[in-house]
Amino acid sequence: TVAAWICSSNLVGEHAIAGETSGYTLKTSGTVLRFTTPGIKDHPFAAGFVTGQWYHVAVTFQAGVSNGCKFYINGELRGSTNASAKNLTVNPTWIGRNQWGQYFSGLLDDIRIYRVALSASDIASLYANHAPVFVANPMVLPGAAAETNYEGETLAERATDSDSSDVLHFRKIAGPDWL
């Protein structure tokens, strides 16, 4: 299962959400959500995406199973197709791009990759924990400059969450001190 919150800023061409080199890629292709098993098969679903809107997307994949590739949009099963075989690999996992250099254009949040096919109720639960809504692009804050420690607003001050019981956590995974 691959699941993520996505907000596309460009739906022209193909834009990777996540994948494993030579194993699989989940991406948008125009308004279509596509699960690709490289060199084997493209599994498309006409999702009808529009730019600037958040969607929770999830695909469960059981290789070689009839209707084993299931597409979920905003917590609901929207379509399925027969699943192809899948290359077994131990290659790098990509977030926001793939082996063909197809970068995601827009915003990604809460990307999850599981080794099992989650159930429909599991997918609905992931969707029920709504993504935070940023009041501004969190990476473009006033006064932020390369090689300078940032002393302006925090990311936490720039987001809200519709689930009042949630706590927003922000953590820099990597990057320069000013980030």
Side-chain angles (χ1 to χ4, degrees):
T1 301
V2 180
W5 283 94
I6 67 169
C7 181
S8 297
S9 60
N10 178 0
L11 292 171
V12 176
E14 298 193 337
H15 303 278
I17 298 165
E20 180 182 319
T21 301
S22 301
Y24 68 90
T25 296
L26 177 62
K27 58 187 171 181
T28 60
S29 180
T31 62
V32 171
L33 185 62
R34 184 181 310 270
F35 189 84
T36 298
T37 50
I40 301 173
K41 184 177 179 182
D42 283 333
H43 305 80
F45 171 71
F49 296 129
V50 297
T51 58
Q53 182 173 332
W54 281 99
Y55 297 93
H56 184 265
V57 299
V59 173
T60 61
F61 188 81
Q62 294 175 292
V65 173
S66 178
N67 290 316
C69 184
K70 297 181 180 179
F71 296 89
Y72 295 82
I73 307 292
N74 295 336
E76 295 181 11
L77 177 63
R78 296 287 178 89
S80 64
T81 188
N82 294 337
S84 68
K86 179 185 166 299
N87 295 322
L88 299 177
T89 68
V90 289
N91 291 324
T93 298
W94 298 91
I95 304 293
R97 70 164 289 191
N98 61 20
Q99 68 193 47
W100 303 286
Q102 297 169 332
Y103 292 87
F104 190 78
S105 181
L107 302 171
L108 296 171
D109 191 39
D110 197 17
I111 300 157
R112 298 175 183 227
I113 301 171
Y114 299 87
R115 292 183 182 263
V116 298
L118 296 180
S119 69
S121 64
D122 290 335
I123 302 290
S125 293
L126 292 177
Y127 169 70
N129 186 20
H130 298 284
V133 177
F134 290 96
V135 295
N137 184 337
M139 300 311 287
V140 182
L141 296 175
E147 306 302 324
T148 305
N149 289 335
Y150 184 68
E151 297 186 18
E153 299 172 70
T154 67
L155 292 178
E157 293 168 340
R158 310 281 292 196
T160 60
D161 191 337
S162 61
D163 298 326
S164 60
S165 64
D166 285 353
V167 176
L168 295 173
H169 296 278
F170 298 91
R171 178 177 54 173
K172 179 179 82 172
I173 296 172
D177 289 340
W178 63 268
L179 183 59

